[in-house]
Amino acid sequence: MNSSPHNDQTAVPDTRTLPPPSAEEQAHSERLARRVREEVAQAGGAIPFSRFMELALYAPGLGYYAAGKHKFGDAGDFITAPELGSVFARCLARQCRQILQALADGEILEAGAGSGALAADLLLELEALGRLPERYLILELSNELRDRQAQTLRRKAPHLLKRARWLDAMPADFRGVILANELLDAMPVERFKVTDSGVRQLYVAWENDRFVWREKPAEDRIRARIEPLALSPGYTSEINFMAEAWTRSAADALKHGAMLLVDYGFPRAEYYHPQRTGGTLMCHYRHRAHDDPLVLVGLQDITAHVDFSAIAAAGTDAGLHLLGYASQAAFLIGSGLEPLMASSDPEDARAHLALTQQVKKLTSPHEMGELYKVIAFGRGVEEPLLGFSIQDRRGRL
Ligand SMILES: C[S@@+](CC[C@H](N)C(=O)[O-])C[C@H]1O[C@@H](n2cnc3c(N)ncnc32)[C@H](O)[C@@H]1O
């Protein structure tokens, strides 16, 4: 099985060549498709793509993230940095220690915690570093994943489980570090297409027993963002208004401390590069990447890259300072990757090789090192952050 990272765009197979779902998966997908069709019918024949994506991923009990599919790791559909091993979490812990030390106290809030791997490894490393926060708050949309996160903590760090608390909403006041890895890319996006008669918004309808695209006049907020870019007819891409709104709400919550968001994406000029004519929307099903979100409803992940210029504006408009923006490779090195590697014993060949492979995946420019970025915001944090000590590309946003 190919254990490619989440964003792998190298292979876009014809969806007919994807592995067929089991009878049980097929039945599950049909239940969700019925739920979507009901909403399409109630809406008069079509729903915005963002609503389709929201239902496909998060419809309670049925959506991809809300039902029992494995999702992460070799047995799932894609791999994320915390699932590769503990290196990512251990570097992030070093960055968190610096911030928690500067604040004198403070907690950690992780949003979209997936399997709970990052929570467990980060807490274990903070314990080893002598900087355990009193509480580790988790904001997670999916009830199924909340259960899985608790199981992971119980298995990997049972003595630290009591520090974890699951939240139903963003707290009004938070002091400490807000973290999210691959959260923003999993939020529903609007899709648009530039035509000779202006910017059109993409909707989803049901026709001849399948979901199909529909074009309608675009909402004002889409036109306002896209028209100034003067893109050519045919150009199709995405806008993630939900990720911007989430960043604003997290910024409002953060009264003192920092927020670190890790994801794949680019600054706006690169995101809407004239040659990126098909946008960034990708689907992942059993480690195959393809670009048709209207099939395998509820069985596959749907994701879009992040426009980091939009995220930077959302955070700073809400009063935060932009503290840094760097590639994942540079951030991990700045946060102490090299000493961490140097402490590995080459005599223990298996462990050393596993560590080396993990580091290669996390930092190689051909894998997650360059496409994945870290953006950091702060309120009341003056000290330059370790993670941006070797690279800071804020000027490109
Ligand atoms: C692509 S997964 C990444 C999981 C994990 N952070 C990792 O790196 O493996 C996206 C995660 O974000 C969660 N999620 C999506 N939207 C959310 C929201 N608005 N609030 C909290 N969690 C959300 C999903 O349920 C899932 O746990």
Side-chain angles (χ1 to χ4, degrees), residues 64-79:
Y64 178 77
Y65 282 104
K69 270 211 83 184
H70 197 83
K71 306 179 261 286
F72 315 102
D74 284 345
D77 301 299
F78 57 85
I79 281 265

Side-chain angles (χ1 to χ4, degrees), residues 99-106 131 175 256:
I99 301 165
L100 293 175
Q101 246 155 13
L103 299 180
D105 63 349
R131 256 292 154 192
R175 293 167 60 86
H256 189 195

Side-chain angles (χ1 to χ4, degrees), residues 28-29 51 60 74 86 93 174 229 280 306 326 347 365 369-370:
H28 177 92
S29 180
R51 180 61 184 155
D74 284 345
S86 62
F174 178 77
L229 302 176
T280 69
V306 173
E347 298 290 317
E370 182 54 38

Side-chain angles (χ1 to χ4, degrees), residues 137-199:
L137 308 174
I138 297 182
L139 186 59
E140 172 56 62
L141 214 54
S142 155
N143 286 333
E144 189 262 321
L145 286 175
R146 285 177 178 218
D147 292 344
R148 211 189 302 178
Q149 290 151 14
Q151 278 166 26
T152 302
L153 280 162
R154 202 169 291 120
R155 183 167 45 80
K156 291 181 92 170
H159 60 298
L160 299 175
L161 177 63
K162 59 180 181 300
R163 294 184 188 248
R165 297 270 189 293
W166 280 263
L167 305 178
D168 294 322
M170 189 68 80
D173 280 343
F174 178 77
R175 293 167 60 86
V177 187
I178 299 180
L179 292 177
N181 185 59
E182 295 208 26
L183 165 75
L184 304 179
D185 73 73
M187 294 190 176
V189 294
E190 298 296 349
R191 274 204 114 187
F192 66 85
K193 183 172 182 180
V194 179
T195 70
D196 288 323
S197 54
V199 181

